[in-house]
Amino acid sequence: MTSTPDQNIAKDVQGDIVLRLPKTHEAFLFFSIEHADDFKRALRNGLIDRITTTADVAADEQKIARARASLPGVFLDGIQGLNVSFSSTGLNKLGVNVDEAFRADDVAFKAGQEADGTESLGDPMDVAGKLTTWKSEFKGRRIDGVFLLTASNKVVLDGAAFRTLVHLGNSIRLIVRKDGVVRPGIERGHEHFGFLDGITRPTIRGFNDSTRPEGESVAPPEVFLLRPDPKDENKKWTVNGSFLAFRELQQEVPEFQRFTIEAAAESQPGQPVEPKLFALIGARMVGRWKSGVPIVHSPVDEPQNVTPGDILKPFDFSDDLEQVRCPYAAHIRKSHPRKGTFPEDRITTIDHLILRSGIAYGPEVTDEEKRVGETKEERGLLFVSYQASLEKGFQFIQKNWLNNVAFPFNNAARIAQPGHDLIVGQNEAAESDQRTTQGIKPGRPEEQTNLVSAPPFVVPRGGEYFFTPSIPGLRHLANLSTSTSAVEMIRKGLARL
Ligand code: N7H
């Protein structure tokens, strides 16, 4: 009996997609493919065997859980991960006909994220249409692929990165390495604005939904993993692969904090600004307190002595149709409009679920930055999301929900413009980078005035779209016969002279 793609999720799907590679340190090695045949040989000769699968991650998670039973918070030194993904230019170089391999509507992947940055994502650009905040390494479509390496400390990570690069030799050129690190001490698991991240994680029906926390979303595999027509030979190798959206998002932490303080002062003119109030404004911008507790459960006071149960307690917005407890524009309500956000049922949003797996980067805020209230050093989030369609997942959420002042439409409070997502939404109007929202300041919606934020405190510094093939998909790529291109033959010939 042949196995179905769903039965193969554990052994075939790369580990970062469904369960996330466990990590305290992560390196993203962005590369160009210089010699496709040598690269394929390196894949075949040991590299594919080192790729961490979903089953490997499940086994690692059990080891970590066993160790934590006796020593809470411990992370095991032996645990390492390796995944690999390719941009459409990379797949081209490996001999894939990208038009045949993917659907006609996988346009964003084929065109690359730089084109999408100006077309759909609303990234800042000048009058000539050039992206103004993007770093040069992400421009010009030079990135063919990315290795994701994870480890429990930097020494082990550096060793793994070195070995991977040595194994690949001249077959690739390292364009840039980006390192992420879990924040230290009590900030572990929190992103740089201070909020606990990585809480929500949709599950896959028939794979890991039976053990999901109560209230967590369940979606069919095809929301996250490709399921092409089995009769289409050109697409067969893409089964159980997923599109990866990578974004380098710089966070301006002192500016974010200053904004919450100023908004608090604006809310209660003439009164001293209380930390309690600006903490509440920050929580209303996100939809959760920094500890992770959803504000629909605790809409006024920051809960103390928070337990995992408080953080994971199921919620939707059906008891908060008029955004009294959680604003429509809160990041988690904009990015995942659960039941109660707009008249249609939640079922309509299942297609837009994503699996996130990002990590913080950069140093902690320095005393000097705290003193002057200004960012001097670069830090932020290396954002990663996986989905079976960028047009329904990452791109859709950014473009149609986070950047869109009119979303959620037809809301119960009849607010025409609930506003931008103030965390990561962009104002697409080229002449202004101001974002506005309703409902962030506490109080009844009818008492609300617009809250204006300028400039944004999350700055997109670039990114790329990739395809993360399954293990059989990788083997297919590694064995794909490419008639060595004329350019490559000339290059090889010259190198031998
Ligand atoms: Fe967001 N933040 O700290 O404010 N995000 N996010 N995100 N995000 C979430 O539920 C954050 C970004 C989603 O199901 C939490 O795990 C920051 C992008 C989605 O309830 C926090 C940045 C996109 C969810 C943050 C950033 C999304 C989510 C709550 C950038 C997509 C799940 C913790 C620097 C385009 C919502 C959690 C749900 C949750 C933050 C980026 C999407 C704290 C700082 C670009 C779908």
Side-chain angles (χ1 to χ4, degrees):
M1 212 173 73
T2 51
S3 53
T4 66
D6 292 1
Q7 287 165 335
N8 294 342
I9 289 177
K11 66 180 182 53
D12 285 356
V13 174
Q14 295 200 46
D16 204 36
I17 301 174
V18 181
L19 298 182
R20 291 189 275 232
L21 298 173
K23 64 204 170 203
T24 59
H25 291 68
E26 182 162 21
F28 296 80
L29 309 181
F30 296 95
F31 61 91
S32 64
I33 298 172
E34 300 294 306
H35 302 288
D37 290 336
D38 296 344
F39 179 73
K40 289 178 189 177
R41 197 167 310 117
L43 281 181
R44 289 196 302 270
N45 294 343
L47 209 68
I48 296 179
D49 297 333
R50 281 179 49 208
I51 298 293
T52 313
T53 63
T54 308
D56 295 333
V57 173
D60 286 345
E61 281 181 345
Q62 281 181 6
K63 283 187 215 154
I64 295 171
R66 274 199 298 274
R68 283 187 182 165
S70 44
L71 194 58
V74 72
F75 194 93
L76 296 174
D77 266 354
I79 288 179
Q80 287 182 44
L82 174 68
N83 274 191
V84 64
S85 308
F86 302 96
S87 66
S88 63
T89 57
L91 290 179
N92 249 313
K93 286 190 187 172
L94 295 178
V96 173
N97 180 331
V98 175
D99 283 328
E100 282 176 7
F102 298 100
R103 291 165 304 212
D105 49 6
D106 290 323
V107 178
F109 173 69
K110 292 175 194 168
Q113 198 181 104
E114 189 180 355
D116 219 26
T118 50
E119 292 279 316
S120 303
L121 305 179
D123 288 358
M125 54 182 168
D126 61 20
V127 280
K130 294 255 176 305
L131 293 165
T132 50
T133 58
W134 275 46
K135 293 185 177 172
S136 60
E137 57 261 32
F138 292 114
K139 292 185 176 173
R141 305 209 67 196
R142 289 179 300 129
I143 294 174
D144 293 328
V146 58
F147 284 100
L148 274 64
L149 289 107
T150 53
S152 57
N153 67 60
K154 186 150 165 27
V155 176
V156 175
L157 185 72
D158 288 349
F162 178 74
R163 278 194 305 281
T164 306
L165 293 175
V166 168
H167 182 83
L168 291 157
N170 292 333
S171 69
I172 63 155
R173 191 168 60 80
L174 182 67
I175 294 180
V176 67
R177 169 175 163 166
K178 308 261 171 197
D179 274 31
V181 62
V182 166
R183 294 184 58 211
I186 55 164
E187 293 300 333
R188 186 180 183 139
H190 295 240
E191 52 66 59
H192 276 290
F193 292 148
F195 294 87
L196 186 64
D197 203 0
I199 305 168
T200 320
R201 185 136 199 100
T203 55
I204 297 186
R205 179 163 302 129
F207 177 68
N208 60 345
D209 57 328
S210 59
T211 54
R212 75 186 194 277
E214 197 194 336
E216 190 54 275
S217 310
V218 188
E222 57 268 25
V223 172
F224 311 114
L225 301 169
L226 269 68
R227 290 289 190 268
D229 178 350
K231 292 193 285 294
D232 189 335
E233 288 297 324
N234 293 321
K235 294 187 171 54
K236 233 176 194 164
W237 69 274
T238 65
V239 169
N240 272 339
S242 187
F243 290 111
L244 183 175
F246 174 87
R247 297 276 279 169
E248 182 173 335
L249 299 170
Q250 185 183 342
Q251 289 176 257
E252 302 194 331
V253 180
E255 288 79 353
F256 171 84
Q257 276 157 356
R258 204 175 56 221
F259 176 75
T260 59
I261 294 169
E262 285 168 6
E266 213 181 277
S267 289
Q268 295 188 337
Q271 292 178 39
V273 185
E274 290 175 51
K276 202 176 142 183
L277 185 57
F278 59 77
L280 177 59
I281 288 187
R284 285 175 73 86
M285 285 163 72
V286 173
R288 289 183 185 265
W289 293 94
K290 286 189 173 173
S291 58
V293 175
I295 57 169
V296 287
H297 288 322
S298 189
V300 180
D301 294 312
E302 184 158 15
Q304 303 301 308
N305 306 318
V306 168
T307 64
D310 298 329
I311 297 167
L312 296 174
K313 194 169 160 194
F315 70 98
D316 61 30
F317 305 108
S318 46
D319 288 341
D320 188 33
L321 293 176
E322 300 208 351
Q323 67 160 354
V324 174
R325 281 186 282 167
C326 180
Y328 296 134
H331 179 62
I332 65 162
R333 199 165 182 174
K334 284 281 253 190
S335 62
H336 182 191
R338 298 162 193 243
K339 197 169 171 192
T341 293
F342 50 165
E344 294 93 324
D345 199 16
R346 169 147 183 219
I347 196 79
T348 54
T349 66
I350 293 280
D351 280 353
H352 307 300
L353 288 171
I354 54 176
L355 293 166
R356 292 170 302 130
S357 179
I359 188 166
Y361 75 92
E364 294 294 295
V365 176
T366 62
D367 290 343
E368 165 70 358
E369 287 176 302
K370 283 183 195 153
R371 197 179 57 76
V372 295
E374 230 176 76
T375 297
K376 303 273 182 198
E377 299 200 35
E378 206 187 310
R379 63 181 63 77
L381 181 71
L382 300 176
F383 175 89
V384 168
S385 75
Y386 294 97
Q387 50 271 297
S389 158
L390 290 160
E391 281 75 7
K392 289 185 180 166
F394 167 74
Q395 188 213 55
F396 184 95
I397 296 173
Q398 184 73 52
K399 176 182 168 185
N400 297 315
W401 290 349
L402 303 180
N403 293 357
N404 187 348
V405 279
F407 181 80
F409 327 106
N410 304 328
N411 51 70
R414 296 178 188 282
I415 292 172
Q417 301 217 321
H420 292 106
D421 171 321
L422 287 187
I423 300 296
V424 78
Q426 301 283 328
N427 182 356
E428 289 173 330
E431 69 279 4
S432 161
D433 58 5
Q434 280 198 342
R435 288 107 33 89
T436 54
T437 61
Q438 284 266 327
I440 296 293
K441 287 184 270 178
R444 302 285 314 160
E446 60 273 19
E447 292 159 9
Q448 286 285 335
T449 50
N450 278 345
L451 184 57
V452 178
S453 133
F457 10 74
V458 170
V459 182
R461 304 308 306 269
E464 188 49 281
Y465 294 139
F466 298 95
F467 179 67
T468 310
S470 67
I471 304 297
L474 268 176
R475 291 198 198 286
H476 166 88
L477 293 175
N479 288 300
L480 205 60
S481 66
T482 24
S483 47
T484 310
S485 72
V487 175
E488 191 157 347
M489 274 160 59
I490 294 166
R491 204 189 297 129
K492 279 189 167 173
L494 287 175
R496 272 189 221 109
L497 290 178

